[in-house]
Amino acid sequence: MTTRRLYYDDSYQREFSAQVLSCEPELHGSTPAWGVVLDCTALYPTSGGQPHDLGKLGDANVLDVRDEGEDVVHVVDRQVPLGAVAGCVDWARRFDHMQQHTGQHLLSAMFQERYGRPTVSFHLGSDLCTIDLRGPEPTEEILEGAERAANQVISEDRPIMARYGTAEEFAGLGVRKEVQRSGILRAIEIEGADLQPCGGTHVKSTGQIGIILVRRCTKMRQDWRVEFVCGRRASRAARHGFQLLHRAAEALGCAPDDVPGSAQRTISERDQHFKNVQALLRRLAETDAVAVLNAAKPEANGLRVIARAFDEESQAEYLSHFATQLAKSEKTVALLGRFTCGHLIFAQHPSAGKDMNALLKQVLAQFDGKGGGTRDFARGKLNDAAHAEKAVALAERLVSAG
Ligand SMILES: [Zn+2]
């Protein structure tokens, strides 16, 4: 039995009557469903890169439509009695697919004709559509040029029709695509622009594509994947893009046109501020180190041990500057921690004669964390920042005992 495909001759047919030939239980994912075969259908099955339709068969909702050899199987959510049934197509979904699919044929033709970039595959997704182009990377001019040429053909509202013939006949008409199937083939012609073997559903004139919007182009293995959207999707995408631009402009306090310049200036200013803060932190660490060293008394073994845990007021950068400064002083050991983030820095002047890396490992054996370094400078991070104070105290005990 072969299901007659009504959409081949009229892709605008939204309602149809058919005979239910079989209705067998099956699973749709993990939910119980029924697979229905009709004598004819206007519902398009997933094939040739175009997603399946949705719709109804009587009271049953169509969940999926698939090709099974010559048959079309409609997966529905309830049993459909054998005999006559009225079917209908979810038109908004189908028309969207038609806009995207015809738009794809047209855009591919423009890339091929104008820039010699053949389409090697395409995908009509639920959000974005893509074509994969072979050849060198398409420049911004090529992407824009193909989009402009396609939109020109759209504005000329050229007729689109299905033609039938053998592979040889189509080859004689300049069809580029290699066709494996024998017998009579179907091809879609966009007048004066494209002739392409295709079993999909298409709009009847280019004006119904509405508009084509080419978006990103990214490398995909050896090819270039071009994202595009057509029709209502294109206007939605353009509106969404403008909303994002508008929000960015508001955040930056500038006009939409000034967003790139303003973002660039803001980033430069941020980088400059960062450098200034770094310089100030270094100077602060130097001054603090002098004050701390003046106040510290050497222990019995002649070492000066500065052990301290800092709160969130101190910057992480300050900590390492401070440690470095302290360790410039003879016989000095600096044992620092931050109990907001659990960072530890152990540093010494080489004359202190301890091993900071070994000391850190000993402390981390007691309090979980990771880190390492050299004999004179080691840095670590505790898994639990709340242990910073105890970790520093332990390090101080170990240094004094050793
Ligand atoms: Zn097609």
Side-chain angles (χ1 to χ4, degrees), residues 48 75 78 121 151-152 165 185 187 278 361 371 389:
V75 181
R78 68 199 72 173
S121 66
N151 282 317
Q152 176 63 34
L185 301 172
Q278 291 300 306
K361 293 272 146 58
E389 206 157 8

Side-chain angles (χ1 to χ4, degrees), residues 101 105 198 202:
H101 198 160
H105 279 218
C198 180
H202 291 271

Side-chain angles (χ1 to χ4, degrees), residues 21-173:
L21 304 179
S22 68
C23 177
E24 303 290 338
E26 65 169 63
L27 284 177
H28 177 64
S30 55
T31 45
W34 283 262
V36 175
V37 176
L38 308 171
D39 64 334
C40 65
T41 187
L43 287 151
Y44 188 82
T46 301
S47 53
Q50 184 179 328
H52 67 84
D53 283 338
L54 294 176
K56 295 197 97 167
L57 294 181
D59 293 331
N61 296 302
V62 176
L63 310 170
D64 190 10
V65 188
R66 65 171 188 266
D67 257 332
E68 235 174 65
E70 298 301 311
D71 284 339
V72 174
V73 177
H74 308 74
V75 181
V76 294
D77 65 350
R78 68 199 72 173
Q79 197 167 7
V80 182
L82 299 184
V85 72
C88 68
V89 179
D90 174 340
W91 184 245
R93 176 178 164 97
R94 157 68 84 71
F95 188 67
D96 170 61
H97 292 162
M98 285 161 56
Q99 286 187 313
Q100 312 309 316
H101 198 160
T102 311
Q104 180 267 313
H105 279 218
L106 179 56
L107 187 62
S108 286
M110 297 303 110
F111 274 116
Q112 171 70 46
E113 291 302 321
R114 306 205 157 216
Y115 306 105
R117 301 290 205 287
T119 295
V120 289
S121 66
F122 75 97
H123 175 71
L124 307 183
S126 51
D127 290 323
L128 281 167
C129 307
T130 59
I131 52 178
D132 290 352
L133 300 177
R134 188 137 299 171
E137 180 177 9
T139 59
E140 198 55 45
E141 288 72 40
I142 291 180
L143 296 172
E144 227 182 292
E147 179 191 78
R148 199 180 318 113
N151 282 317
Q152 176 63 34
V153 176
I154 288 174
S155 68
E156 290 164 8
D157 199 20
R158 298 200 203 165
I160 295 167
M161 56 227 127
R163 293 176 66 143
Y164 294 88
T166 62
E168 294 73 41
E169 283 167 343
F170 284 141
L173 292 168

Side-chain angles (χ1 to χ4, degrees), residues 300-345:
N301 55 10
L303 287 182
R304 264 190 304 195
V305 180
I306 316 291
R308 205 165 280 194
F310 293 84
D311 59 14
E312 73 268 23
E313 304 272 299
S314 68
Q315 302 274 334
E317 291 82 1
Y318 169 85
L319 207 65
S320 68
H321 293 316
F322 189 50
T324 309
Q325 284 305 316
L326 292 174
K328 281 181 182 169
S329 219
E330 294 260 328
K331 297 236 160 201
T332 301
V333 180
L335 307 169
L336 311 177
R338 276 182 91 213
F339 45 78
T340 43
C341 57
H343 279 124
L344 297 175
I345 294 182

Side-chain angles (χ1 to χ4, degrees), residues 360-374:
L360 181 66
K361 293 272 146 58
Q362 269 178 286
V363 170
L364 291 178
Q366 198 78 25
F367 303 99
D368 284 343
K370 55 184 177 215
T374 64

Side-chain angles (χ1 to χ4, degrees), residues 189-239:
E189 179 176 22
I190 301 174
E191 196 181 84
D194 189 44
L195 180 63
Q196 187 72 226
C198 180
T201 56
H202 291 271
V203 294
K204 58 187 162 202
S205 68
T206 56
Q208 294 211 348
I209 299 170
I211 190 166
I212 294 183
L213 189 61
V214 170
R215 293 165 69 86
R216 284 194 313 167
C217 174
T218 49
K219 185 111 172 80
M220 190 51 63
R221 287 181 283 277
Q222 58 168 331
D223 301 314
W224 298 95
R225 178 158 292 177
V226 177
E227 292 177 5
F228 70 97
V229 276
C230 303
R232 272 177 232 154
R233 283 196 204 188
S235 63
R236 270 204 305 274
R239 168 128 295 269

